[in-house]
């Protein structure tokens, strides 16, 4: 009995499955996850206030072998907030938005989002020309 090589198989015929060890893998770069997290933090703060906000993120991605998802991201986001404001509510909104967007866009679970407040902007000091509150 003759065997037919995959190259000689009829077009449209089902190709044999490629073993898992021979397939490629998709990996999401840490810097991509950091950009997603920073954008999500800006989105959350834009929803909470109309003031200008700035955010950047550093991310540690932990890969898990044998899982269907793209791993686990532990995120640290640094933000600037207006003052006075409900800082706890803004940080909670940032955590929720970062978790949701990283899960949606990168397919990663996010067990931890640490929010660091770098600066507080007070309208009184900005009007008087003294700048930011540190």
């Amino acid at each position: 009995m003759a065997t037919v090589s995959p190259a000689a198989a009829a077009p449209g015929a089902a190709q044999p499955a490629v073993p898992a060890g021979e397939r490629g893998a998709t990996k999401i770069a840490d810097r991509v996850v950091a950009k997603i997290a920073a954008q999500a933090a800006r989105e959350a703060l834009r929803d909470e206030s109309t003031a200008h906000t700035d955010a950047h993120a550093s991310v540690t991605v932990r890969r898990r072998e044998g899982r269907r998802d793209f791993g686990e991201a532990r995120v640290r986001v640094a933000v600037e907030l207006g003052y006075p404001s409900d800082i706890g509510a803004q940080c909670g909104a940032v955590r929720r938005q970062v978790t949701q967007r990283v899960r949606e866009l990168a397919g990663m679970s996010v067990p931890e989002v640490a929010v660091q407040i770098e600066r507080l902007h007070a309208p009184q000091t900005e009007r008087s020309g003294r700048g930011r509150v540190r």
Side-chain angles (χ1 to χ4, degrees):
M1 173 174 264
T3 60
V4 177
S5 70
Q15 297 293 326
V18 177
E22 296 177 20
R23 288 185 292 216
T26 302
K27 291 188 178 182
I28 310 295
D30 292 7
R31 67 180 185 182
V32 172
V33 179
K35 287 181 181 184
I36 291 169
Q39 179 62 36
R42 284 190 291 274
E43 290 170 2
L45 295 174
R46 191 175 314 125
D47 292 345
E48 291 292 318
S49 73
T50 58
H52 169 74
T53 59
D54 190 23
H56 60 273
S58 62
V59 177
T60 302
V61 178
R62 299 177 68 196
R63 309 283 178 203
R64 292 183 290 183
E65 299 298 323
R67 296 291 303 255
R68 302 185 90 198
D69 61 8
F70 293 113
E72 185 175 271
R74 296 184 183 277
V75 180
R76 177 174 304 279
V77 181
V79 298
E80 295 183 12
L81 301 176
Y83 182 82
S85 65
D86 187 349
I87 294 172
Q90 288 179 319
C91 291
V94 167
R95 283 187 196 95
R96 285 187 297 277
Q97 185 73 2
V98 167
T99 300
Q100 177 184 355
R101 299 297 279 165
V102 170
R103 188 180 309 125
E104 288 173 355
L105 298 174
M108 301 177 124
S109 62
V110 185
E112 177 184 340
V113 178
V115 180
Q116 174 183 350
I117 302 168
E118 282 193 335
R119 290 190 183 99
L120 296 174
H121 297 276
Q124 311 87 301
T125 59
E126 289 182 11
R127 277 186 262 143
S128 67
R130 288 184 290 190
R132 300 174 173 151
V133 177
R134 291 183 188 241

